[in-house]
Each structure stands twice: as C-alpha cells, then as structure tokens.
Amino acid sequence: MSALLVPSSSSPARPSRNGNGNGDVNPNRNRDVVLCPITAKTYRAFLASPHGESLGAGFLQCPSWADVKEGWRAQLLGWGPDPEAGELTGVALVLLRQFPGTRKYFAYLPEGPVADWSDPGIDGWLTPLLEHLRRTGAFAVRIGPSPAHRRWSAARLKPLTGPGRRLGDVLASEVDPLGTAVAERLRARGWRRCGGDATGTDGAGGDGGGGGDAQPRHVFQVPLAGRTTQDLWSRLNQEWRRNVRRARKEGVEVVVGSAADLPEFCRLLAVTERRDGFRLGRSLAYYERQYAALNAEEPGRMKLYLARHQGEILAAHTMITVGRRAWYQTGASADHRREVRPSNALQWRMLLDAHALGADVYDMRGVPSTLDPEERAYGLLRWKLGTGGQVVETLGEWERSVGGSANHALHRAFQAYLKRR
C-alpha cells in the first residue's frame, strides 16, 4: 500500500513550489523555521546530504517505511528556511492511525523525528510540528528521540550477572549528557515517557499507541568506526570465535538471498518463535512488502542472508542499511544441526559486510533488561554480548496529547482501546 500524504485539514491548499500535488498546506512558521509537507524525493535528498546523514536517521524514518505499514496513513514533513526548495534542517515520517468511530488520529513518529536534538531551541521545530499535527486531526503524538541515555560495555556486564539482577542495577559505563538534557526538555514541555522511567519493555516492539515502548528501549550495538576487521575478530569472545571457526570447518556457506527466499525465511522464523517462546506476528506478505519497499528506495537497503549446510538453509537473517548505520533486524534458524553454528557464521559475515560498507555502528536491535541467567530472555543478551559490543539504553518513546480536554480524553480512551486489542 502506497503512502498517503495527508494535508492539513484546517485551510485550503495552495500550489507547492516542489510540485508534490498536495500543496504546502498552510505551512507553520516559527521565526525562520517553515514546516510543511515535502515530497519523498526532497526527503531522501536531505537524508543523503552531509547534514542529514550526520543526524543518523534510522530505517523507520525513511519514506519507504510508510509503504511497509498497513492500517496507517502517512505524512512526510520537513522544516527549515525553505523546505520546498530543499533547504531543510529536519524531517519526519509521521504515521497516523485513526481512532475507530472518529475523524481523529494518533500520530506516531517511530524513532523520529530526524532532528538535531543537541540544539536547545527545540521549540523552533517542535511547536510547529505539534500545531501541524493538531490541524491534521491528531489528538496525541508519540515520538522516539535519537539520543542515547546510558551504555554498558560487554566487559562490564559479563561478571555482574546474577539472580534477579537487571541492567538498572549496574552502574553504566557511560551516561550521555545529551540524552539527559533532552529528557528534561521534553518533560518540561508536557511529554511523558512511555512505560515510565524505569527499564522499559523487553519486547521487540509493536505498532505504537499502547502504554509502553513500541520499539525496544534497550538495543545492542557493535561500534565499527575506526576499527579493522582484526579488531572486530579480537573483540569476539572465545565462544564466538570457536563457533565461527566451527561453522567454517563444517562447510557452512553464507550467501545473500533474494525475495524468492523470503518464504523459507518465514518458515524458519515460525520455527524460531515456537522454540524461543515469542511471537512477532509478521506474515510473509509483511516481509515481502518490506523487502520490495526498502529496496525500491535504495537497491540493497534490505538484504536477506542465508546460511546453508549440505544444501539446506539452516538460518536466515535480515540486515538493513541507511547512511552510516546497519541493523540486524530479524533472525531465524532451524531446530536441527545447530551444532554447526549457522547463526554465528551469518552474524560474522553481516558484521564484515557492514564494516565494508562504511557503517559506523552495527545495531543488533533489542535485548532484554534482565541479567539473570535463569531467565529465558537472558539467552538473547548473552549471545549478543559475545560480539564484544555494548548495551545502549535509548531515551525510549514519549507521548503527549496535543492539548484540550477533548483530546486528553480521547488519548486515554485510545490507550485503553489498544490494550484491549
């Protein structure tokens, strides 16, 4: 389903200089900042620019993500001195979900907006953004600021596991002052952190609009900038190096697949969900749509890696790249022949490919907050710790209504509705 660019309903459109056909729709002005809808071409050009790339946009804020999500309408917004001419300082993909029985929308900016969060003058674009969404018919907004909050190195966490222990019980290796400042600024403006200020959720994320984070608050990242492939190898723990060597010795072959291999990936994903006790709830059609949309936007943006042994696919993992970042999104593996270590072979190849592409960081996405080896979820964290990277606690997601008693009431009702679904 193609993205539907939704104009503001508060005033008639006038022709747009960028020819997007929707008009600039009463652009919101704040001093020298203009905020208005922009085309996907203009949006992508900003992300590819030196300034846009420095903001580190994630794949959930790419225009193509609007084509992945069903049940949502979408807007592409930009702000700066002259957005229509490409003079931008920030952009946002906004997903809009209609509250049943109303003409009101919940506005969701997954891991966005793409903005300079180090600028203390966030009101210059945040106020026009909220006003624009209010005019569009939004009753509440959820955002995902990009700054990190805390980091824990693998070396710090490994010796500090134990019964009942969680990440919050361990002194962080680093506390990001920018993340602290952004959290304070948002609270002062009436935003509330989804899921509270404790540890967030351990899940892999959903569609937004519920009580907790929809995207994982704790992620695992392997820094790549300034490191050689030998550095990456030496940072793997002994078990990982042994398993990669074992896979090589056993003849495990790692190749990049195609869309034709997605059915096998989804079959293995169902096996993995049953074995590990989780449910992503994503269909083959979802992954086919994602693969087509992301690669239409940029060839090779999403890749499917396959590990074969004796002619059989034993594991399949997806990787997404945007700018100087790479993500391991989803992994799946068979129940049999696990001793040949296909998943370790896949991850090592993906790490090397991300490094070769010039990525600064390889993001392995969500990890649980538990440090208790007796808890089932800890196995995922233990596996990722073996790469020698770090756990990063993001700022999580933040929500607020757009003002007015009616919107406050609708926001509460919407949260209750989603919890019942």
Side-chain angles (χ1 to χ4, degrees), residues 67-152:
D67 296 316
V68 177
K69 304 303 293 179
E70 288 190 319
W72 298 80
R73 304 172 76 184
Q75 285 189 331
L76 299 177
L77 303 178
W79 56 88
D82 192 348
E84 295 172 326
E87 297 179 25
L88 292 160
T89 55
V91 293
L93 165 65
V94 183
L95 300 176
L96 298 163
R97 169 166 283 181
Q98 190 170 8
F99 194 143
T102 76
R103 294 184 179 180
K104 290 285 192 173
Y105 296 89
F106 178 83
Y108 181 39
L109 288 68
E111 297 187 1
V114 183
D116 181 5
W117 290 97
S118 66
D119 182 358
I122 61 174
D123 290 322
W125 56 265
L126 188 55
T127 299
L129 174 64
L130 289 173
E131 176 59 19
H132 172 86
L133 294 175
R134 185 190 66 80
R135 292 175 181 272
T136 299
F139 60 86
V141 182
R142 174 180 284 204
I143 61 176
S146 60
H149 181 206
R150 295 182 290 183
R151 293 179 173 86
W152 293 265

Side-chain angles (χ1 to χ4, degrees), residues 159-409:
L160 296 176
T161 61
R165 302 210 73 181
R166 305 190 74 79
L167 282 169
D169 299 325
V170 178
L171 185 67
S173 304
E174 178 185 345
V175 177
D176 193 321
L178 176 58
T180 301
V182 170
E184 291 174 352
R185 291 168 191 159
L186 290 175
R187 287 192 191 93
R189 289 158 177 80
W191 294 83
R192 297 185 63 182
R193 197 178 189 187
C194 302
D197 289 322
T199 59
T201 61
D202 287 343
D207 280 337
D213 294 313
Q215 304 304 325
R217 185 179 293 189
H218 295 98
V219 297
F220 195 88
Q221 297 180 350
V222 181
L224 303 179
R227 294 182 176 176
T228 66
T229 54
Q230 183 56 44
D231 293 332
L232 299 178
W233 177 257
S234 64
R235 287 176 180 272
L236 299 180
N237 66 15
Q238 289 184 354
E239 182 180 3
W240 261 81
R241 291 197 295 269
R242 183 170 61 250
N243 288 341
V244 172
R245 291 191 184 105
R246 175 69 181 272
R248 187 180 300 132
K249 180 180 178 181
E250 294 288 344
V252 173
E253 178 190 17
V254 176
V255 298
V256 177
S258 67
D261 298 300
L262 287 171
E264 180 63 11
F265 163 73
C266 287
R267 186 190 70 80
L268 288 173
L269 182 56
V271 171
T272 305
E273 289 176 333
R274 289 194 298 270
R275 180 182 67 237
D276 295 343
F278 69 92
R279 174 69 175 157
L280 292 179
R282 295 170 184 160
S283 65
L284 172 60
Y286 174 91
Y287 285 106
E288 290 176 332
R289 193 165 60 247
Q290 183 186 109
Y291 190 91
L294 270 62
N295 289 321
E297 183 170 65
E298 182 176 310
R301 169 149 288 169
M302 179 178 178
K303 293 179 180 178
L304 175 62
Y305 286 78
L306 309 173
R308 291 197 183 106
H309 183 250
Q310 298 178 356
E312 181 182 3
I313 298 174
L314 294 182
H317 295 178
T318 58
M319 185 172 85
I320 300 174
T321 55
V322 178
R324 300 183 69 85
R325 298 175 66 190
W327 293 262
Y328 157 44
Q329 187 198 20
T330 307
S333 62
D335 284 341
H336 61 287
R337 271 188 268 164
R338 296 169 64 82
E339 70 279 0
V340 303
R341 303 301 179 184
S343 292
N344 294 91
L346 278 177
Q347 284 302 306
W348 177 237
R349 166 70 183 276
M350 291 162 69
L351 261 173
L352 292 179
D353 283 2
H355 182 268
L357 288 170
D360 290 334
V361 64
Y362 180 66
D363 192 321
M364 300 181 79
R365 295 293 281 168
V367 290
S369 59
T370 179
L371 295 177
D372 187 343
E374 297 302 316
E375 290 190 29
R376 186 175 190 175
Y378 174 75
L380 178 63
L381 175 59
R382 179 183 179 277
W383 187 71
K384 294 182 180 182
L385 285 172
T387 63
Q390 58 186 359
V391 175
V392 178
E393 181 185 12
T394 71
L395 280 183
E397 296 185 325
W398 297 69
E399 253 183 47
R400 60 161 291 176
S401 72
V402 295
S405 57
N407 284 333
H408 279 295

